[in-house]
Amino acid sequence: MRVLLTGSSGWLGRTLAPMLAARGHRVTGLDVAPGDHTQIVGSIAERSVVDRAFADHGIEAVIHAAALHKPDIARYSRQAFVDVNVTGTLNLLEAVVAARHRRFVFTSTTSLMISQSIRDERSDRAVWLDEQSGPIEPRNIYGVTKFAAEQACRLVAEEHGLSVIALRTGRFFSEDDDTHRALSGENMKANELLHRRLTVEDAAAAHIAALEHDGPVGYHLYLAAAPTPFSLEDVVELGRDAASVIARYFPHAPALYAARGWMLPPSIGRVYDSSALCRDLDFRFATDFAGVIRAMERGKPLPFAHDADYVSPAAGMFS
Ligand SMILES: NC(=O)c1ccc[n+]([C@@H]2O[C@H](COP(=O)([O-])OP(=O)(O)OC[C@H]3O[C@@H](n4cnc5c(N)ncnc54)[C@H](O)[C@@H]3O)[C@@H](O)[C@H]2O)c1
């Protein structure tokens, strides 16, 4: 397929572009910042840029990963988020409709499901989150605009018979968390693979599975995070004493962690369930927490990327 990949200079885009090409797709990268996989430097917020991309490259399908996201909240205005995340998404949807093509994959985020109350872990148990969870009450402009973009995808898919898959993707960023500094970056990423993270390679592979999926037309939403070892029966204990639950599933984890000076999480406030994605798209994640433990046992490199200093190419691009 001739695929337009937005956000091609970013962390996900630069991983996804070569994987798409290896599958035989002809990829045109569009990003506001230059990059090795970006053929068109321009903004999706400008309809003329999007229309020209379709006209010049015979685009048949879109993977829309470009966005201003959470770290950008500190850098940009709420209006910039609306322009890029909402107007930009609508521009791409309108272009797909005008070109009479149907396939659209949207990179959404689990972040939009996290209300202030979930964020603050006000419940005495872990919140189990899947595609049916609600109400959706995003706690910041990133979540608000991603949710609006999802709704634009749903509306246009229903009105025009598009086939849109939105992937509410968990964390895959390589940099340190900008709000939690208590644990080392690698310790935190390993912990998060239990319940809210995936590798960037798995995020890219899930997008390819969505692109190539021959499912029914309409709007389809999936959560994408590494398969959790936990079940619904664990939610109370996860809230009270997550380390004990983890030790039950992974008896070697406490000693392996202690050897590195790492800490297991004392409590876990949310769990993302991506079983619908695995079932409907016949998708298998390559990396989960069990893979981390295996690597630690064998003295192998950890199976995820960590780059404390990564900064988005979009930094400094907007006012
Ligand atoms: N990083 C994560 O952990 C995470 C988690 C969930 C969802 N997501 C989503 O994944 C997608 C990719 O994120 P990433 O981590 O690769 O971020 P990133 O910042 O590395 O990449 C995003 C890219 O979008 C580009 N971009 C921004 N505004 C643009 C515009 N107006 N026109 C064209 N390009 C523009 C940026 O230049 C950048 O290259 C985003 O949609 C993000 O919301 C990311």
Side-chain angles (χ1 to χ4, degrees), residues 220-244:
H220 306 279
L221 173 71
Y222 294 105
L223 261 63
T228 182
F230 306 130
S231 72
L232 272 168
E233 286 76 55
D234 296 322
V235 292
V236 172
E237 207 183 342
L238 283 173
R240 286 189 198 139
D241 182 8
S244 296

Side-chain angles (χ1 to χ4, degrees), residues 123-278:
S123 170
D124 60 351
R125 62 196 62 198
V127 181
W128 193 268
L129 292 158
D130 61 20
E131 291 75 10
Q132 276 69 51
S133 300
I136 301 295
E137 294 173 343
R139 70 186 191 286
N140 57 34
I141 191 65
Y142 172 49
V144 166
T145 51
K146 280 289 198 179
F147 189 46
E150 278 188 358
Q151 291 300 311
C153 288
R154 181 191 55 74
L155 183 75
V156 177
E158 287 169 2
E159 286 183 353
H160 293 276
L162 301 190
S163 175
V164 180
I165 295 182
L167 296 173
R168 275 189 193 160
T169 308
R171 297 178 151 201
F172 56 81
F173 58 79
S174 60
E175 65 267 35
D176 279 332
D177 189 308
D178 57 352
T179 47
H180 299 275
R181 301 255 179 227
L183 298 179
S184 78
E186 287 185 328
N187 186 168
M188 185 132 172
K189 287 186 172 73
N191 290 1
E192 288 174 347
L193 276 166
L194 284 158
H195 65 114
R196 62 177 296 194
R197 174 174 277 277
L198 70 171
T199 64
V200 69
E201 292 82 7
D202 274 337
H207 281 71
I208 294 175
L211 177 78
E212 295 178 351
H213 182 61
D214 241 338
V217 294
Y219 177 68
H220 306 279
L221 173 71
Y222 294 105
L223 261 63
T228 182
F230 306 130
S231 72
L232 272 168
E233 286 76 55
D234 296 322
V235 292
V236 172
E237 207 183 342
L238 283 173
R240 286 189 198 139
D241 182 8
S244 296
V245 185
I246 296 162
R248 209 165 53 236
Y249 284 106
F250 302 98
H252 297 153
L256 289 165
Y257 264 54
R260 284 179 182 243
W262 282 13
M263 280 176 60
L264 288 166
S267 72
I268 284 180
R270 69 186 85 151
V271 178
Y272 298 135
D273 177 356
S274 55
S275 48
L277 171 73
C278 298

Side-chain angles (χ1 to χ4, degrees), residues 27 47 233:
V27 187
R47 180 68 196 266
E233 286 76 55

Side-chain angles (χ1 to χ4, degrees), residues 31 66 166 216 221 253 266 302:
D31 199 296
L221 173 71
L302 294 168

Side-chain angles (χ1 to χ4, degrees), residues 6-14 30-33 42-45 64-70 72 75 83-85 106-111 142 146 167-175 197-198 200 207 310-315 317-318:
T6 72
S8 46
S9 302
W11 176 236
L12 176 62
R14 71 182 68 164
L30 164 59
D31 199 296
V32 76
S43 174
I44 53 167
H64 175 29
L68 294 187
H69 66 124
K70 174 142 174 292
D72 295 312
R75 299 191 264 260
D83 295 344
V84 176
N85 293 358
F106 174 56
T107 316
S108 190
T109 173
T110 48
S111 173
Y142 172 49
K146 280 289 198 179
L167 296 173
R168 275 189 193 160
T169 308
R171 297 178 151 201
F172 56 81
F173 58 79
S174 60
E175 65 267 35
R197 174 174 277 277
L198 70 171
V200 69
H207 281 71
Y310 177 82
V311 177
S312 167
M317 287 282 165
F318 306 95

